[in-house]
Amino acid sequence: MAAISFLTSLGWGDQFLKGFPSQAPFVLQLLIPISCGLAIGLLRRAGAEPLPELIETFAQLDPKQDQKLQLEIQPKLSHILLGLLALLGGGSIGPEALLSRSLTEWQLGLQRLKTKLAIGGRLAKGYWSWLPGLIGGFAGFALLKGFDRFGGGEQGVIFLWPNSFSQGASNLAWALLLGAGGGCLGLLFLGLRRQLAKRIKRCQASPLPLAIFTGVVLALVNIWQPLALFSGEQQLSPLLQGELLNRADQLLLVGFLKIALCALCLSTGWMGGLFFPLIIGAAAIGQGLHQAAGIIPGEVAISALVAGIQAMVLAQPWVPFVITVVVLKGHALPAAVIGSLMGWRLNRYVRDI
């Protein structure tokens, strides 16, 4: 986490770490995404394996699956390098895929090391048995600091509970509608990924031009709308407090751009997590809808859309609900519950037809 913060600040400037557009020299802002795209493409062409997505890592660790899948998890430097390059280059992806995969690989590597040393005698039992616990403690500390930094939530954004039956009924209706809207945003994200995968397969494009193309796109988007780059976790609170964008059309544009760029990055080798880009994108769209149509309660729109998009993508309601509660710090909790259920039901409906 410290390395990511230091390198990001070095390239993009301290102002970016506060959630605001980078104040780095303009030429540098263009060169960083393109250079990272070139590096990602060259590494992939040289045979480096891309960083697996978080869902893929979970599938390999599932005890119900074939144990051979867990044997495929080997510590690979390429995962770290490719994950760092994608984050530092401005990809609209989060750090959770890199962190979870690194911790998984290190943990399983230590377990294998412990097993090998145990064959040789007492060394593993006497001296090495504490290593997994120690690493787990460090990992827990890092994750807690990570939640503190990456899950800043809506600090300073006021949530007003309904003060009448009619207001509560109105919030309920909006939560149902916007929860389904969040599911539609998730459907849009999944559809973009499918279409990009089909086009890439049809063109038989190699990893190098794909990675460079994404770097160029990110550089151009940075000129037009810099807040659409990166995962956006630092931008959540200032964005919703009106410190970054004040117009509804700008909020809607940033939200849709972030979701689209996340799909592009994941489809072209810029691998990372999808939680934060989807969360920030849905939150920006919710805030934009609130400003565009004053009758939509902002806190309900944000929580319902954020929970709904995740439930649609993950195809289950409870993890998106927990993530929404943690990131938004319990903001509009009933709307988060309804949004999660609506996004999940929409996923089931689409899958059945």
Side-chain angles (χ1 to χ4, degrees):
M1 298 300 295
I4 293 173
S5 297
F6 173 75
L7 293 173
T8 303
S9 175
L10 188 65
W12 296 89
D14 293 332
Q15 192 72 1
F16 166 77
L17 294 180
K18 300 177 182 178
F20 295 91
S22 174
Q23 299 298 316
F26 179 73
V27 175
L28 192 60
Q29 294 184 46
L30 293 179
L31 287 178
I32 290 178
I34 298 174
S35 299
C36 287
L38 177 62
I40 291 172
L42 290 174
L43 286 170
R44 290 293 313 281
R45 191 172 69 174
E49 296 185 17
L51 174 72
E53 293 190 43
L54 185 61
I55 296 176
E56 182 179 345
T57 299
F58 284 166
Q60 289 179 309
L61 292 175
D62 188 351
K64 299 178 181 179
Q65 300 293 334
D66 191 341
Q67 292 299 313
K68 291 181 179 180
L69 288 175
Q70 294 193 19
L71 297 177
E72 296 176 1
I73 301 180
Q74 301 287 341
K76 292 183 174 65
L77 181 60
S78 66
H79 291 164
I80 298 176
L81 288 176
L82 290 170
L84 282 174
L85 286 169
L87 288 172
L88 300 177
S92 185
I93 51 175
E96 61 271 16
L98 174 60
L99 293 175
S100 62
R101 188 70 185 193
S102 298
L103 291 172
T104 299
E105 292 178 354
W106 296 339
Q107 178 187 356
L108 293 179
L110 283 171
Q111 289 177 354
R112 295 186 185 106
L113 177 63
K114 177 182 174 182
T115 301
K116 291 179 181 179
L117 291 172
I119 298 175
R122 301 178 180 177
L123 184 60
K125 185 176 181 180
Y127 295 95
W128 291 88
S129 58
W130 50 269
L131 271 180
L134 178 64
I135 296 298
F138 278 121
F141 176 77
L143 285 175
L144 287 175
K145 298 299 288 183
F147 274 121
D148 182 62
R149 180 183 183 280
F150 285 99
E154 293 185 71
Q155 299 172 357
V157 181
I158 299 175
F159 170 57
L160 300 176
W161 285 92
N163 54 19
S164 65
F165 176 79
S166 60
Q167 189 177 21
S170 175
N171 284 3
L172 174 62
W174 282 115
L176 290 169
L177 179 62
L178 293 167
C184 291
L185 289 178
L187 192 61
L188 172 65
F189 171 77
L190 295 175
L192 284 173
R193 292 204 62 181
R194 282 194 296 270
Q195 290 300 318
L196 286 169
K198 288 181 181 178
R199 292 182 180 276
I200 291 171
K201 184 178 180 180
R202 186 182 307 160
C203 297
Q204 296 182 343
S206 63
L208 180 57
L210 285 176
I212 295 176
F213 171 75
T214 300
V216 172
V217 170
L218 292 172
L220 295 176
V221 171
N222 183 59
I223 300 173
W224 177 37
Q225 194 56 256
L227 294 178
L229 270 61
F230 292 92
S231 60
E233 65 277 355
Q234 301 97 335
Q235 300 164 352
L236 181 58
S237 291
L239 180 74
L240 298 181
Q241 292 173 25
E243 298 177 10
L244 300 179
L245 300 171
N246 292 316
R247 289 167 41 190
D249 58 340
Q250 291 178 328
L251 287 162
L252 293 170
L253 175 62
V254 166
F256 282 109
L257 266 178
K258 195 171 285 289
I259 293 172
L261 286 177
C262 182
L264 175 66
C265 288
L266 294 177
S267 300
T268 55
W270 287 59
M271 303 305 295
L274 51 81
F275 284 112
F276 278 113
L278 297 185
I279 289 172
I280 306 303
I285 292 171
Q287 185 75 348
L289 291 175
H290 165 66
Q291 292 190 10
I295 60 173
I296 301 177
E299 60 274 9
V300 172
I302 293 165
S303 295
L305 284 172
V306 166
I309 190 173
Q310 295 176 83
M312 178 68 200
V313 172
L314 295 181
Q316 60 102 355
W318 302 118
V319 170
F321 168 69
V322 172
I323 293 173
T324 302
V325 169
V326 171
V327 175
L328 300 183
K329 296 190 179 300
H331 200 70
L333 186 60
V337 175
I338 295 172
S340 295
L341 293 174
M342 291 297 294
W344 172 63
R345 289 303 303 172
L346 181 60
N347 178 282
R348 295 287 298 272
Y349 174 75
V350 172
R351 188 173 57 186
D352 292 339
I353 61 176

